[in-house]
Amino acid sequence: MTSPAESKTDESRAGESRRPMIEAVGLSKFYGPFAAAREVDFSVREGELVAFLGPNGAGKSTTMKMLTGYIAPSEGEARIAGHNMMEDRIEGSKHLGYLPESGPLYYEMTPMGMLNFFADARGLSKTVKKDRIDAVIDICDLSSVVYKPISKLSKGFKQRVGMSQALLHEPDVLIMDEPTAGLDPNQVRGVRKTMRKLSETKTILLSTHILQEVEAMASRVVMINEGRLVYDGDVAGLRQKGDVTLDDAFHTLTKGAHI
């Protein structure tokens, strides 16, 4: 009979055998003398859902933009599915779905019109396009608003439209910056369920300020403060950094930060 300790070791070895899909290799971004990120180094392997934490201004969004190839690092390298996102961004982007903090929405379009536009931009065939648009409308629960102008939608629906475009081309990797921002509790519950389902087949890096989401969804936590990595490990290990709760641990690791 296998002991719990042996099972945990086997699980860790299985995780280590999966290839890294998101890699930050010594990533730094300087704006004059200011370092928005400095020597950030971590990887996310196949099948992991990793929460990316830090106070406001810690460098989370900057790091995510470097990982996606949206901005160039001053130093270091960002890789998606093994592709250097500065040298081979087109190939890397085929594997990547990205939802920035302010999603790429065209307010004069309807969700259906925008999804058709993004499908054409990504070169999806007619058959694949229809199937994928139907799929993301279902996943993101957009059927009731799919023909309404995006400008008329609530913030929650706008967020879901942004998520739908990130999922449209069925990427292996998802990078999502505050995907539940502006959603009501029922919508947050739905997003959590969707994220858990997606993590069965995809690799996900998820930025959030809501620590309950970390416990509900993440298998691992990466935390930065003032542009530097301060924690990389499981949720249980993070909790031990504080007195009792994740809030305590967050405070301990980000003391002096302006939240």
Side-chain angles (χ1 to χ4, degrees), residues 3 37 48 60 66 123 148 152 157 165 181 185 210 218 235 242 253 256:
S3 70
E48 283 192 296
K60 299 189 303 299
M66 288 190 286
K148 292 182 179 180
K152 303 295 184 183
F157 270 120
Q165 68 79 27
I210 304 172
V235 176
L253 290 167

Side-chain angles (χ1 to χ4, degrees), residues 58-80:
K60 299 189 303 299
S61 293
T62 297
T63 300
M64 289 177 135
K65 288 175 182 177
M66 288 190 286
L67 286 169
T68 61
Y70 185 76
I71 61 174
S74 302
E75 296 175 355
E77 189 174 312
R79 302 189 198 112
I80 297 294

Side-chain angles (χ1 to χ4, degrees), residues 15-16 18-27 40-46 48-52 63 67 77-82 173 203-205 219-222 229 231-233:
E16 290 173 2
R18 296 194 295 263
R19 67 172 177 145
M21 297 295 286
I22 303 171
E23 297 173 89
V25 185
L27 284 180
V40 176
D41 205 303
F42 67 89
S43 66
V44 183
R45 295 181 179 273
E46 282 180 312
E48 283 192 296
L49 194 162
V50 174
F52 193 35
T63 300
L67 286 169
E77 189 174 312
R79 302 189 198 112
I80 297 294
V173 176
T203 303
I204 303 174
L205 181 65
S219 58
R220 194 171 120 231
V221 173
V222 171
L229 191 73
Y231 181 81
D232 182 354

Side-chain angles (χ1 to χ4, degrees), residues 202-223:
K202 302 184 187 301
T203 303
I204 303 174
L205 181 65
L206 173 76
S207 168
T208 181
H209 280 114
I210 304 172
L211 296 181
Q212 293 91 330
E213 289 184 358
V214 176
E215 293 188 288
M217 295 189 289
S219 58
R220 194 171 120 231
V221 173
V222 171
M223 184 182 291

Side-chain angles (χ1 to χ4, degrees), residues 53-55 58 211 221-235 237-243 245-257 259:
L53 303 182
L211 296 181
V221 173
V222 171
M223 184 182 291
I224 62 173
N225 185 44
E226 297 181 346
R228 293 184 181 273
L229 191 73
V230 294
Y231 181 81
D232 182 354
D234 61 23
V235 176
L238 176 61
R239 191 180 289 107
Q240 291 171 9
K241 299 289 184 181
D243 294 330
T245 67
L246 289 182
D247 287 327
D248 296 328
F250 186 93
H251 177 71
T252 298
L253 290 167
T254 60
K255 283 179 181 176
I259 300 175

Side-chain angles (χ1 to χ4, degrees), residues 109-113 115 133 137 142-149 153:
M109 290 184 173
T110 64
M112 180 62 78
L115 289 171
I133 289 175
I137 286 171
L142 292 171
S143 58
S144 64
V145 300
V146 74
Y147 293 110
K148 292 182 179 180
L153 302 183

Side-chain angles (χ1 to χ4, degrees), residues 174-225:
L174 296 173
I175 294 181
M176 298 194 166
D177 197 353
E178 303 285 350
T180 57
L183 304 188
D184 66 37
N186 287 333
Q187 293 168 341
V188 169
R189 185 184 180 94
V191 169
R192 289 177 182 173
K193 181 178 178 182
T194 300
M195 290 296 102
R196 283 192 291 266
K197 183 176 180 180
L198 290 171
S199 69
E200 294 173 4
T201 57
K202 302 184 187 301
T203 303
I204 303 174
L205 181 65
L206 173 76
S207 168
T208 181
H209 280 114
I210 304 172
L211 296 181
Q212 293 91 330
E213 289 184 358
V214 176
E215 293 188 288
M217 295 189 289
S219 58
R220 194 171 120 231
V221 173
V222 171
M223 184 182 291
I224 62 173
N225 185 44

